[in-house]
Amino acid sequence: MVPLAGLIDTAFLGHLDDIRYLNGVALATVIFNVVYWSFNFFRMGTTGPTAQAVGRASEGQPIEGQSVKDQPMKDRPMKGHVASTAEVWLIVLRNSLLALGVGMAILLFQAPIAAFGFALLQAGDEVKAAAMDFYSGRIIGAPAVLINYVVLGWLLGRGQGRQVVILAVVGNASNIVLDYLFIRQLGWGSYGAGLATALSQYLMLIAGLGLMFVEGIPWQLGALIQSKLWQPAALKSLFGLNRDILIRTFALVMAMSLFTNFSSGLGDTILGVNTLLLQVVLMAAYFMDGIALAVESYAGNFWGQKSAVDLYWLLLFGLIGSVVLGGAIALILMLFPIPFFSLLTSHSRLLNNIPTYVAWLLPVLSLGGIAFTLDGYFLGLTAGRTLRNATLIAAFAGFLPLALLASWLNSPNLLWLALTGLMATRAITLLRQVPATLAGESALGDSGA
């Protein structure tokens, strides 16, 4: 549902008379990628700890520093039963309150964020104007976006995939409907696209809160939650994990943002082509993230149960599935580029150049499949330091030197090689850490494990 909504966004804008709307949204999306994806640790930092808590509960292990015998009989975890313990609810409450605070801060500082972001981006005045319109509409959804990260992470950590699908349908279907209303019917262009995305996030949040209330919040644990909500040890672990994930995500986002910014420096046509190809990369990434999120949830559960054999087979099947899926998507688009991309744009100068660069999807998506799955695996183990270090190496050694050279030489192919290097370096550095986790080392000494 997420990539479908993104593709339809692109299709609505790509068929408008002026290409500046498509390029403007691509430019403004760079800022949102930096801002929102940098705080994606609210999702990642919720799934792993929740899954581990569920895993401990299913094995009858102590939670929140209590021995099982010290817990009231009604609160004791039962083997094979995913109990709604105090620890599981504490995680979602802590992270939701933090997400709300950060979201409100983004709204408060939206003007300086825009001024700083657009000052760094390369584009003409018309494209920047369209980008600012999109920014003005989408920034309204900041608090909902961040709290939704927490809600989705919590549901994934509890293995509640059906509820996640419901939220995806609500959020993305409403985005498509609002896109049609604001862009096609009202003619609001890039501002309409941004506003549609923002409002759909609030609808998704309302649905998420509704699902949590329907499930039944354990009000009888209110006193325990109140006393432990801001427990120093738990907060230290939370901030330690979130710090590492923040650095990891920021490095990855900056690499992707530089890719778009350097594409802009190569001209409007290359920016448009790379925007369309990146939409495919994001589409495939979300499909492969379905596997990665499952790996993340089960890895945390198996880690909580201390089951190395299950971790091994989980990772093996996850890697095979992601590589096959990513490679298949790339091959299909390499064989039939024009029929697919014609759905996204009617501009002939973009369609004529896409076959020149579409082959880069194969290495990017194949290596990306490995990187995405390993990301999910180490997130499930709450191995934030491992992810942080691997991504920093990939961004500064695997991507940046080639990207700078591509910008200097005005070479789109070299820029795609840089993106391939980013994926390859992430995959290699993370694969090297897998044996240590299967040997039972405590998440490589990472915080939150």
Side-chain angles (χ1 to χ4, degrees):
M1 288 299 298
V2 174
L4 176 62
L7 289 172
I8 291 177
D9 273 354
T10 302
F12 278 134
L13 296 167
H15 283 86
L16 296 178
D17 292 337
D18 197 324
I19 196 177
R20 68 186 175 95
Y21 296 109
L22 177 64
N23 286 345
V25 170
L27 198 69
T29 299
V30 170
I31 296 177
F32 285 106
N33 286 346
V34 173
V35 174
Y36 287 164
W37 287 6
S38 294
F39 291 106
N40 198 27
F41 64 75
F42 283 120
R43 205 278 306 158
M44 299 174 179
T46 302
T47 301
T50 301
Q52 290 186 19
V54 169
R56 287 192 294 271
S58 69
E59 288 298 299
Q61 296 181 35
I63 59 173
E64 285 291 323
Q66 299 181 1
S67 65
V68 173
K69 67 179 182 179
D70 292 335
Q71 298 178 37
M73 182 63 70
K74 61 183 175 64
D75 295 333
R76 293 184 189 179
M78 299 172 60
K79 187 177 179 62
H81 174 64
V82 183
S84 293
T85 62
E87 183 182 10
V88 174
W89 285 91
L90 281 167
I91 291 169
V92 71
L93 285 174
R94 286 191 192 110
N95 285 6
S96 293
L97 290 173
L98 289 172
L100 175 61
V102 173
M104 296 304 295
I106 291 173
L107 279 183
L108 182 63
F109 293 103
Q110 60 179 283
I113 291 173
F116 180 74
F118 286 115
L120 298 178
L121 297 174
Q122 306 175 42
D125 292 339
E126 289 188 348
V127 172
K128 278 195 175 183
M132 189 64 203
D133 286 342
F134 179 79
Y135 176 89
S136 300
R138 189 174 175 184
I139 196 69
I140 297 170
V145 170
L146 300 190
I147 299 175
N148 281 334
Y149 284 160
V150 177
V151 174
L152 288 172
W154 190 70
L155 292 173
L156 287 166
R158 290 165 61 88
Q160 295 178 321
R162 184 175 302 174
Q163 286 87 336
V164 173
V165 171
I166 292 173
L167 294 188
V169 170
V170 171
N172 294 290
S174 61
N175 188 21
I176 292 170
V177 172
L178 292 171
D179 268 338
Y180 176 77
L181 175 63
F182 295 157
I183 298 174
R184 299 294 298 179
Q185 296 298 312
L186 299 179
W188 289 354
S190 51
Y191 174 75
L195 185 61
T197 302
L199 294 180
S200 68
Q201 287 294 318
Y202 282 103
L203 293 173
M204 183 176 172
L205 176 58
I206 292 170
L209 295 176
L211 288 174
M212 295 174 69
F213 278 103
V214 168
E215 181 179 340
I217 297 177
W219 299 109
Q220 69 273 20
L221 299 178
L224 181 60
I225 290 175
Q226 183 178 3
S227 64
K228 292 180 175 291
L229 184 60
W230 303 117
Q231 194 175 50
L235 287 175
K236 180 180 179 181
S237 176
L238 171 66
F239 282 115
L241 174 62
N242 286 350
R243 177 202 63 222
D244 290 333
I245 296 177
L246 171 62
I247 296 172
R248 166 260 181 205
T249 306
F250 186 77
L252 184 58
V253 167
M254 287 306 298
M256 299 299 292
S257 300
L258 285 173
F259 181 91
T260 299
N261 198 32
F262 288 157
S263 297
S264 179
L266 298 175
D268 286 346
T269 299
I270 294 300
L271 174 59
V273 168
N274 285 357
T275 296
L276 295 174
L277 291 174
L278 274 183
Q279 279 296 324
V280 173
V281 173
L282 293 175
M283 175 191 72
Y286 275 108
F287 283 121
M288 290 184 285
D289 259 354
I291 297 174
L293 291 172
V295 168
E296 182 179 344
S297 179
Y298 281 109
N301 198 299
F302 294 152
W303 185 262
Q305 297 177 30
K306 304 186 186 303
S307 178
V309 174
D310 286 330
L311 285 173
Y312 170 81
W313 287 108
L314 172 70
L315 184 57
L316 179 62
F317 286 128
L319 288 172
I320 293 173
S322 290
V323 172
V324 169
L325 182 58
I329 293 172
L331 286 173
I332 291 172
L333 293 176
M334 288 169 61
L335 292 173
F336 309 103
I338 302 303
F340 175 81
F341 287 102
S342 294
L343 299 174
L344 302 182
T345 184
S346 56
H347 293 278
S348 58
R349 59 173 166 153
L350 301 184
L351 293 173
N352 292 338
N353 280 276
I354 281 175
T356 305
Y357 305 104
V358 71
W360 283 108
L361 293 177
L362 184 59
V364 168
L365 294 182
S366 298
L367 293 167
I370 299 174
F372 296 146
T373 300
L374 290 170
D375 259 8
Y377 178 78
F378 284 101
L379 283 168
L381 272 55
T382 60
R385 190 179 307 161
T386 299
L387 289 169
R388 179 198 68 194
N389 294 343
T391 307
L392 288 173
I393 292 170
F396 286 101
F399 173 80
L400 188 58
L402 286 172
L404 290 171
L405 185 61
S407 179
W408 184 50
L409 297 176
N410 291 320
S411 172
N413 282 304
L414 198 55
L415 189 57
W416 278 101
L417 180 62
L419 189 59
T420 302
L422 175 74
M423 300 298 182
T425 309
R426 286 174 66 205
I428 292 169
T429 51
L430 289 174
L431 277 172
R432 292 184 59 191
Q433 302 299 326
V434 169
T437 66
L438 297 178
E441 296 182 22
S442 182
L444 309 178
D446 286 326
S447 58

